[in-house]
Amino acid sequence: MDESLLQIRASANSFLSQYEPLVLVSAPLLALFLAWIINLVFAFVHERGLKAAAVGLAMNSVKLIPGVKGYIDAQKKKVVDQLQSGSKSKRDGWQTELPKVGHGGGVRELLESEKKKDADWQGKCSGTVYIGGKQSEGHFSLTNEAYSMFSHTNPLHVDVFQSVVRFEGEVVAMTAALLGSKEKASGDQICGNMTSGGTESILLAVKSSRDYMRMWKGITKPEMIIPESAHSAYDKAAQYFNIKVLRVPVNKEYRANVTGMKRFINKNTTMIVGSAPGFPHGIVDPIEELGELASAYGICFHVDLCLGGFVLPFARKLGYPVPPFDFSVQGVTSISVDVHKYGLAPKGTSVVLYRNHEIRKHQFVAVTEWSGGLYISPTIAGSRPGGLIAGAWASMMSLGQQGYLENTRDIMEASKQIQKGIMEIPELFVIGRPDMTVIAFGSNGIDIFEVNDLMSAKGWHLNALQRPNSIHICVTLQHVPVVEDFLRDLRESVLAVKANPGPVKGGLAPVYGAAGKMPDRGLVKDLLVDYMDGTC
């Protein structure tokens, strides 16, 4: 045995003796470097997909050709200028420093003057304003008064403003009760906090899930798996909290593809996501199946109920076929729900809920070594507007279950009428089978974005979608009285595009269409960033 080892050693030394010592030392280092490069390439392809990675590499290579990058930048500027058409001129005359002498009470006239420049949104906007009626009366007036009464309060100071602290606790508890906290299956530990909106609620749920899974499973390279239809707030959370996000195409019914999402689960997966309903098409994902998947793999599962939280519970009571969506589903660990949507509260009010306190504790930030004293904050914001919390509480207490039932009946009936009317227009088709109050529609025969431009010219503010190219309307109480007006204008716009296809002057159809066809999504991202940089 010893002789064999000696022979092998002698042969190896004899073979290696023909190489320079420097080569022998550098070869392993070079091999490690090449392995590192290959690993980076595989990671890049795994994250983006083979097609996107290849397109990105090709585009970056093309940009190295002299003159090409300059040409691309010039074309980008043209598109951005078109997107911003008119917005720069509107900034002329904006106040850029404090007035030398204040306007005093006369500032009210300035406020009224500026308010008149806003779009005529009553009954014309997809989503946006969910309360019915005029701002000077009814529910509008009530919530405005509640906000005014508590506009200078701050729940950060729990010992000073006990009123809004109580309001927040009651808003959270009442919202949780709508979403299964009173049912045995929920575990009787549902808890949460109010936030500034659905995005913050989602950000907190993602952050809390990440940290909870790090503690429980030791995950240091977190990943989350979301359907293609999930809100862009998850991408924002991924950037903020250094989480890898994996988007999975939806199935043929435009619902989350459970099998497809399962394939992406690995040792680094912290959470999966479902929506009830999804923003693009108003379709509820298979929450029960996703809950079973989360339970089987021991990962967190967040349900986005921002749009449906104050509608689906009441739609179910009214007899609509609503699939399971709340904490009664095993596996659901957190839920986000906007009170400022169909809860009809002032803008800037949402709730994030957790199945138990153990998960929610990871939402909080506690600081012990600050010279300013001991500090702890439950949400992203430190100081928070107590007036908004009071407005949300007033809204819920004013309407009660009966009020929400009646509102839900009205908007669900209006949604079904609009859906039926769209389906009767031969050139259009409805995407999937909407479960709630969002109806998305496209066309195989005409440019749907040109239809959107004509609808915009008639005063309607709809949402442009992609994959597939389409537009949608999110029906609110503002639309209940104007269903026939919407369908009439839509029919006229479709016929006009069919008779005279082509871009509408000043319209954005060419931009939307071009963006949808661009294979380099990085270029589209650059366009959006440049647009935002010049707008805000």
Side-chain angles (χ1 to χ4, degrees):
M1 185 69 176
D2 290 340
E3 286 186 17
S4 298
L5 289 174
L6 288 172
Q7 288 178 356
I8 293 172
R9 178 183 176 185
S11 298
N13 285 332
S14 175
F15 174 76
L16 294 173
S17 64
Q18 59 186 309
Y19 297 99
E20 292 287 336
L22 184 61
V23 173
L24 295 177
V25 172
S26 60
L29 296 176
L30 179 61
L32 284 173
F33 178 73
L34 290 174
W36 178 68
I37 293 294
I38 292 170
N39 182 59
L40 285 179
V41 170
F42 273 106
F44 183 71
V45 172
H46 175 68
E47 182 175 348
R48 290 197 170 193
L50 182 60
K51 181 179 177 181
V55 169
L57 179 63
M59 288 300 298
N60 286 332
S61 300
V62 168
K63 289 175 185 177
L64 295 175
I65 300 174
V68 172
K69 186 178 183 302
Y71 174 78
I72 291 175
D73 289 342
Q75 295 304 309
K76 278 167 50 179
K77 188 176 184 306
K78 286 182 182 178
V79 175
V80 171
D81 288 344
Q82 187 174 354
L83 286 170
Q84 293 175 336
S85 56
S87 63
K88 289 184 178 179
S89 61
K90 292 176 185 176
R91 299 174 75 96
D92 294 340
W94 278 22
Q95 197 77 29
T96 58
E97 60 182 357
L98 282 171
K100 291 182 179 179
V101 179
H103 293 277
V107 79
R108 292 187 183 90
E109 295 179 9
L110 297 178
L111 290 168
E112 288 292 340
S113 175
E114 289 303 314
K115 188 174 178 60
K116 290 176 182 177
K117 297 176 183 178
D118 289 345
D120 183 14
W121 49 260
Q122 288 195 290
K124 291 284 191 174
C125 290
S126 172
T128 311
V129 179
Y130 294 80
I131 304 175
K134 298 179 180 178
Q135 282 186 290
S136 59
E137 59 190 31
H139 193 78
F140 259 124
S141 180
L142 172 70
T143 55
N144 289 343
E145 185 178 349
Y147 177 86
S148 179
M149 288 174 65
F150 294 88
S151 61
H152 294 286
T153 63
N154 180 358
L156 181 66
H157 304 286
V158 296
D159 55 333
V160 180
F161 302 114
Q162 296 180 34
S163 55
V164 292
V165 172
R166 173 179 175 172
F167 293 157
E168 177 175 13
E170 293 188 355
V171 167
V172 170
M174 289 188 287
T175 304
L178 284 177
L179 303 176
S181 70
K182 302 296 184 182
E183 297 182 28
K184 201 170 183 179
S186 71
D188 198 33
Q189 281 199 56
I190 307 301
C191 54
N193 295 90
M194 289 190 68
T195 71
S196 63
T199 293
E200 186 184 354
S201 290
I202 288 172
L203 288 174
L204 288 171
V206 172
K207 186 264 184 193
S208 303
S209 300
R210 180 201 67 177
D211 293 354
Y212 175 71
M213 294 298 287
R214 180 169 56 197
M215 179 202 71
W216 189 39
K217 285 190 172 182
I219 295 175
T220 56
K221 295 181 178 179
E223 299 181 6
M224 62 177 170
I225 304 167
I226 67 177
E228 199 173 50
S229 56
H231 198 276
S232 53
Y234 296 101
D235 296 274
K236 185 180 286 189
Q239 291 187 35
Y240 284 176
F241 304 135
N242 196 25
I243 300 172
K244 182 178 179 181
V245 61
L246 300 167
R247 276 191 179 269
V248 179
V250 293
N251 61 23
K252 293 180 180 179
E253 296 176 336
Y254 295 92
R255 302 183 192 276
N257 187 332
V258 180
T259 303
M261 293 175 73
K262 181 180 179 180
R263 281 198 287 265
F264 281 92
I265 294 177
N266 58 48
K267 64 180 182 179
N268 293 319
T269 304
T270 57
M271 70 184 299
I272 58 174
V273 165
S275 304
F279 168 82
H281 313 121
I283 294 172
V284 176
D285 286 328
I287 303 301
E288 273 191 318
E289 294 177 50
L290 290 170
E292 291 173 2
L293 185 63
S295 296
Y297 283 89
I299 55 179
C300 292
F301 173 30
H302 181 76
V303 179
D304 180 2
L305 271 164
C306 287
L307 189 61
F310 280 84
V311 175
L312 292 178
F314 300 104
R316 183 166 53 190
K317 287 185 178 181
L318 290 169
Y320 285 94
V322 177
F325 57 85
D326 57 19
F327 283 113
S328 62
V329 176
Q330 291 301 311
V332 174
T333 53
S334 58
I335 287 175
S336 53
V337 49
D338 286 356
V339 197
H340 66 209
K341 288 190 170 72
Y342 291 115
L344 307 187
K347 285 298 178 190
T349 51
S350 179
V351 172
V352 58
L353 297 169
Y354 298 94
R355 182 170 287 275
N356 56 53
H357 293 268
E358 201 56 43
I359 302 174
R360 186 178 67 152
K361 286 178 182 178
H362 294 278
Q363 174 181 292
F364 305 153
V365 172
V367 181
T368 62
E369 304 308 309
W370 178 37
S371 60
L374 300 178
Y375 177 90
I376 185 165
S377 175
T379 61
I380 291 175
S383 293
R384 292 182 293 148
L388 292 177
I389 295 172
W393 184 87
S395 179
M396 295 174 72
M397 293 294 286
S398 169
L399 289 166
Q401 293 190 33
Q402 189 59 39
Y404 284 118
L405 272 171
E406 292 171 1
N407 289 338
T408 298
R409 182 183 291 111
D410 289 344
I411 57 174
M412 288 296 286
E413 287 179 1
S415 300
K416 296 306 176 187
Q417 291 174 31
I418 289 176
Q419 182 178 340
K420 181 175 180 292
I422 293 172
M423 293 172 70
E424 289 173 350
I425 300 174
E427 293 81 9
L428 303 180
F429 64 86
V430 172
I431 294 179
R433 298 175 62 184
D435 291 303
M436 214 183 82
T437 53
V438 174
I439 303 102
F441 53 97
S443 176
N444 290 321
I446 57 176
D447 189 331
I448 196 65
F449 295 139
E450 291 179 13
V451 173
N452 190 34
D453 283 341
L454 288 181
M455 290 293 284
S456 296
K458 293 176 183 289
W460 297 95
H461 300 268
L462 308 179
N463 292 93
L465 314 173
Q466 60 180 352
R467 298 176 184 174
N469 287 352
S470 51
I471 55 180
H472 86 201
I473 179 171
C474 175
V475 181
T476 73
L477 289 170
Q478 290 284 332
H479 298 114
V480 173
V482 296
V483 168
E484 288 305 320
D485 294 340
F486 172 78
L487 291 173
R488 182 193 63 244
D489 286 349
L490 181 60
R491 284 191 290 266
E492 290 176 357
S493 298
V494 167
L495 290 175
V497 171
K498 187 176 181 181
N500 297 290
V504 178
K505 185 177 180 181
L508 295 175
V511 176
Y512 288 135
K517 294 175 183 176
M518 282 184 185
D520 183 7
R521 307 312 289 173
L523 183 57
V524 179
K525 181 179 178 180
D526 289 344
L527 287 172
L528 292 175
V529 171
D530 288 347
Y531 164 73
M532 182 57 65
D533 186 52
T535 303
C536 63

